[in-house]
Amino acid sequence: MFGLVARIEVRGAERLPERGAYVLAPNHHSEIDPLIVALATWRIGRAPRFLAKESLFRIPVVGWLLHRAGMVPVARSRGAAAQAIAQATKLAEDQSGVIVYPEGTLTRDPDLWPMRGKSGAARLALAGGIPLIPMAHWGAQDLMPRYGKLSVLPPRKRITVAIGEPVDLADLTGRTDQAAIQTATERLMAAITALLEDLRGETAPPERWDPSQHGQTETGKL
């Protein structure tokens, strides 16, 4: 049904492993992004699974659906390191992948470039020695602007999704210290930004947007 309102082109589909665990990390600039990323992942042949707040799994019916869909719960009360190890172990056992937004929320950058990254995606990849794969997409803002309303006219808006090569973490193998996680996160955000630069045909700002330096909260509308 989504194909009626948008044309999604996927580049670099061969870079997403046909089998085995992976962490897929996309940029995030529209509320409709998860649907686009899920559809692109599904077309490639992998089940789209996201990290989701543990509280959602306790909601009747919703929790059952999340479990059945293979979503991965995130418990805020649990230590990040222990949780990452448990999640990575489960992904490896199930030979499944997970989609993690490294920005944690919609970008605050006024021009929709990827902003400062958080450690979740890198931490999970390092904990399990799992491929960390960058993804970028562009065009979603024409379908649903950030904090805006869905616009289906004109129909079949073009959205392009690009998947990059796995981030090189060979020199960080076996490390889960904060310095390694920060280095891996920076490499990931650089890879996502490079993909987006190619899609947009533009050059990103030299420094990534940091909400704390602009008096912005991490979540909620701008």
Side-chain angles (χ1 to χ4, degrees), residues 29 130 171:
H29 62 260
I130 298 171
D171 60 320

Side-chain angles (χ1 to χ4, degrees), residues 10-199:
V10 181
R11 302 177 184 175
E14 72 282 356
R15 293 168 177 161
L16 191 66
E18 293 182 0
R19 59 184 62 84
Y22 63 85
V23 177
L24 182 63
N27 63 317
H28 197 13
H29 62 260
S30 168
E31 289 95 328
I32 208 166
D33 289 352
L35 183 56
I36 294 167
V37 172
L39 182 56
T41 306
W42 181 262
R43 285 183 178 176
I44 294 172
R46 298 301 302 261
R49 296 183 173 93
F50 293 83
L51 288 186
K53 292 185 296 185
E54 187 183 46
S55 59
L56 295 176
F57 289 77
R58 295 194 291 269
I59 301 175
V61 181
V62 173
W64 180 84
L65 289 171
L66 290 174
H67 275 298
R68 294 289 293 175
M71 301 302 170
V72 180
V74 177
R76 292 182 175 177
S77 60
R78 188 175 180 185
Q83 186 168 209
I85 292 172
Q87 291 168 340
T89 301
K90 187 70 166 61
L91 290 174
E93 290 175 349
D94 295 344
Q95 293 290 288
S96 60
V98 68
I99 300 164
V100 183
Y101 284 102
E103 295 167 272
T105 187
L106 297 180
T107 180
R108 314 317 246 183
D109 186 281
D111 294 320
L112 304 183
W113 290 105
M115 65 174 182
R116 179 196 62 192
K118 295 187 176 181
S119 65
R123 187 185 297 274
L124 185 56
L126 287 174
I130 298 171
L132 180 59
I133 303 173
M135 171 189 272
H137 59 83
W138 189 243
Q141 72 283 354
D142 295 329
L143 186 61
M144 179 179 281
R146 179 177 53 187
Y147 304 120
K149 295 182 179 180
L150 183 67
S151 174
V152 298
L153 296 176
R156 303 279 289 163
K157 292 182 173 68
R158 182 184 179 187
I159 299 173
T160 309
V161 178
I163 299 173
E165 296 286 354
V167 178
D168 185 3
L169 303 177
D171 60 320
L172 304 176
T173 300
R175 292 179 56 185
T176 56
D177 57 279
Q178 194 58 41
I181 292 169
Q182 184 175 351
T183 298
T185 299
E186 178 54 35
R187 290 178 188 175
L188 171 62
M189 297 311 300
I192 295 171
T193 302
L195 288 172
L196 189 57
E197 286 181 323
D198 186 58
L199 291 179

